[in-house]
Amino acid sequence: MDADFLAEKEDEMGHSDAAGPGQSGHHDLRILNAIRQIIRAVDIDSRKLAADHQITGPQLMCLLAIVEQDSTTAIEAAKRVHLSPSTLVGVLDRLESKGLIRRQRSTEDRREIRVSATSKGKALAVRTPFPLQYTLARAMEQLSLDEQDSTAQCLERLVDLMGAREMDQGPMLEIIGLHARQREAKPSVR
């Protein structure tokens, strides 16, 4: 979004530059633009991840969820990474073709397919950086502790007001925790 587009949208909605020159009186468009730019940064990090480690962000999220559970079902993995089971099937197909996971029919219930990481998949999960991990960490280092706290509080408040907190946030946070634990266990080689 550029400044002309934002100004045009503000005019359409009856907003003016009441906040002063160069400042939008319409904060929701500014916030939406900032979120769009953050999403773009995530996309760029995902592309770098794919180029450097031959795995996409969604594939890595699924692999980490599978590694964390040791053995899981496709439906359980889909819930953990917030993907539909039909979307996850394609991701699992790609992970399996790369030799990172294996699928086996359960011996207790023939309808159930168990998914587990191979040793190659586990090794990749340990050595691959979490998407946006370093970009976000570097950005946060530029803020004072008060700014970090204020930013977190504002975003959490916005999530609450949008009713988005009702979504299960556990899986992503647990996966991040797993990835951090794996990194701590592995000595850094530089």
Side-chain angles (χ1 to χ4, degrees):
M1 287 185 192
D2 61 10
D4 293 336
F5 176 77
L6 291 175
E8 185 179 309
K9 281 297 186 195
E10 287 175 349
D11 289 342
E12 285 175 15
M13 300 176 88
H15 296 283
S16 64
D17 280 343
Q23 293 182 343
S24 172
H26 199 74
H27 298 307
D28 55 347
L29 288 176
R30 291 174 56 205
I31 292 168
L32 185 60
N33 187 41
I35 291 170
R36 184 190 63 78
Q37 291 170 330
I38 291 169
I39 290 169
R40 176 75 176 129
V42 171
D43 183 52
I44 290 169
D45 260 21
S46 185
R47 290 173 195 263
K48 183 172 175 16
L49 180 73
D52 293 349
H53 300 279
Q54 292 69 52
I55 190 167
T56 66
Q59 290 170 5
L60 179 60
M61 293 293 296
C62 290
L63 180 61
L64 291 173
I66 292 165
V67 167
E68 183 176 41
Q69 294 298 307
D70 194 38
S71 175
T72 188
T73 65
I75 291 172
E76 290 168 349
K79 287 178 186 175
R80 294 190 55 72
V81 295
H82 304 288
L83 291 175
S84 70
S86 60
T87 300
L88 186 72
V89 168
V91 174
L92 293 178
D93 287 345
R94 288 183 283 286
L95 290 172
E96 190 171 40
S97 72
K98 293 176 181 183
L100 302 174
I101 64 159
R102 73 176 138 269
R103 292 186 260 198
Q104 290 183 304
R105 194 168 296 279
S106 170
T107 55
E108 291 87 35
D109 183 350
R110 300 280 302 150
R111 296 168 295 176
E112 185 178 87
I113 305 292
R114 302 294 303 175
V115 182
S116 58
T118 63
S119 57
K120 180 179 174 183
K122 290 175 184 176
L124 182 68
V126 169
R127 74 172 185 270
T128 304
F130 192 79
L132 201 63
Q133 175 181 354
Y134 299 113
T135 305
L136 181 60
R138 283 193 308 269
M140 293 300 287
E141 288 172 358
Q142 303 302 310
L143 300 174
S144 70
L145 291 178
D146 286 343
E147 288 172 316
Q148 290 178 33
D149 186 51
S150 176
T151 300
Q153 286 179 12
C154 287
L155 289 172
E156 290 166 351
R157 176 82 169 121
L158 187 58
V159 165
D160 288 339
L161 292 172
M162 292 176 68
R165 193 169 302 273
E166 296 164 6
M167 295 179 207
D168 181 18
Q169 64 182 355
M172 178 175 260
L173 295 177
E174 290 169 11
I175 290 168
I176 291 170
L178 166 76
H179 204 59
R181 288 191 305 272
Q182 289 172 332
R183 288 219 173 277
E184 290 169 5
K186 182 182 176 191
S188 178
V189 177
R190 294 189 186 212

